Amino acid sequence: MNIREMRTRLGDTQSQFAERYQIPFRTIQNWESGTRKPPEYMIKLLEQRIREDLVNRKTAVLPKYDPQKKDLPKRSDYIGSLSWLKALRDCMGESVVFALDQALMCQGSFGGRSDEYIVWVYGDDALSGYNGVVVLGNHISRYNVKNRNGILYTDFNRTLSDAFANESILDMQGITEAVSRYYYSNGDSFEGLFIPPEYQDRFEQLAEEAIDYYGS
């Protein structure tokens, strides 16, 4: 794919595409007009990122308990979220990448719930053979993955994007709490956050809710 084909597959304008992948707008213009040619490594990197963005976050409904599936360790049996997440990783495999609420737990910005049942991950579809597991996608760029004591999880920007993509089935309490913590620990600022253009309006609404979360 050339740059224009990549952009149109996402349905982005040039400015939205530039913002999504943090590339200067003029650079996108030059690449598409043929004034300049993008480096080969950049084309390969963008192709990979776009494929992932197109196929991931594919969940439509939350899983119900199925006695035919395997059970994961219960959150209530562990003291501290990290000990629980380590137990989940030991069951599901070291390559599993935790997302959404579980990613926030790894980041230390959300404590989770004692009756936690839903587990959000990136990984093989076989992981859906466990009760409560939601597989958001099979692939995620290593640039969006962090590692804490051997536990892999999505970085904060990707976690936010996934939250907006799955908001119809996600309890947003954890996200609101995490965004609020970010704001107040970052000098009353959201600087450093990157929100894909299609979610910008929704983020502005969430930002107001997050400021009020601890500030009221």
Side-chain angles (χ1 to χ4, degrees):
M1 291 186 288
N2 60 37
I3 298 300
R4 185 177 186 281
E5 289 172 337
M6 295 180 196
R7 176 175 63 78
T8 55
R9 286 194 67 184
L10 287 167
D12 282 358
T13 64
Q14 287 183 335
S15 61
Q16 288 173 332
F17 188 83
E19 184 178 357
R20 180 189 299 275
Y21 296 111
Q22 302 184 55
I23 301 170
F25 173 68
R26 181 57 61 85
T27 299
I28 299 298
Q29 286 185 314
N30 289 338
W31 285 349
E32 290 198 11
S33 67
T35 303
R36 292 185 179 179
K37 184 178 180 180
E40 189 64 29
Y41 79 88
M42 178 61 71
I43 292 178
K44 291 182 179 179
L45 177 61
L46 282 172
E47 285 181 340
Q48 177 183 343
R49 293 286 300 276
I50 289 166
R51 281 196 300 268
E52 291 169 354
D53 285 344
L54 287 171
V55 303
N56 285 333
R57 293 166 284 178
K58 59 188 178 182
T59 302
V61 295
L62 292 177
K64 296 181 179 179
Y65 185 82
D66 183 347
Q68 301 301 316
K69 292 185 177 182
K70 294 174 283 187
D71 290 333
L72 287 169
K74 295 180 180 179
R75 173 68 179 89
S76 57
D77 291 339
Y78 292 82
I79 299 175
S81 57
L82 287 182
S83 61
W84 176 58
L85 292 171
K86 183 179 183 299
L88 295 181
R89 182 207 61 189
D90 291 345
C91 284
M92 294 189 282
E94 294 183 357
S95 62
V96 65
V97 177
F98 292 108
L100 293 173
D101 284 358
Q102 284 71 47
L104 296 178
M105 293 178 195
C106 291
Q107 296 159 17
S109 53
F110 179 55
R113 309 167 184 85
S114 61
D115 61 346
E116 204 80 52
Y117 173 67
I118 298 299
V119 177
W120 309 86
V121 301
Y122 281 95
D124 192 272
D125 282 335
L127 294 173
S128 60
Y130 288 97
N131 271 307
V133 171
V134 178
V135 179
L136 293 181
N138 303 130
H139 306 284
I140 185 168
S141 170
R142 61 185 178 88
Y143 297 106
N144 294 128
V145 177
K146 300 291 186 181
N147 186 325
R148 182 176 182 182
N149 298 327
I151 301 174
L152 303 179
Y153 60 97
T154 57
D155 64 23
F156 196 45
N157 281 319
R158 182 55 183 250
T159 304
L160 284 177
S161 297
D162 285 342
F164 293 131
N166 294 280
E167 186 170 6
S168 63
I169 58 172
L170 174 67
D171 181 344
M172 292 289 284
Q173 178 189 343
I175 295 295
T176 303
E177 182 177 324
V179 172
S180 183
R181 288 179 182 273
Y182 184 96
Y183 176 79
Y184 287 108
S185 65
N186 197 42
D188 294 357
S189 171
F190 292 116
E191 185 177 355
L193 295 184
F194 170 72
I195 309 300
E198 65 265 36
Y199 302 130
Q200 190 61 51
D201 290 343
R202 177 64 185 95
F203 174 73
E204 291 177 7
Q205 178 185 352
L206 176 65
E208 293 182 6
E209 297 170 357
I211 290 172
D212 290 341
Y213 190 84
Y214 284 115
S216 57

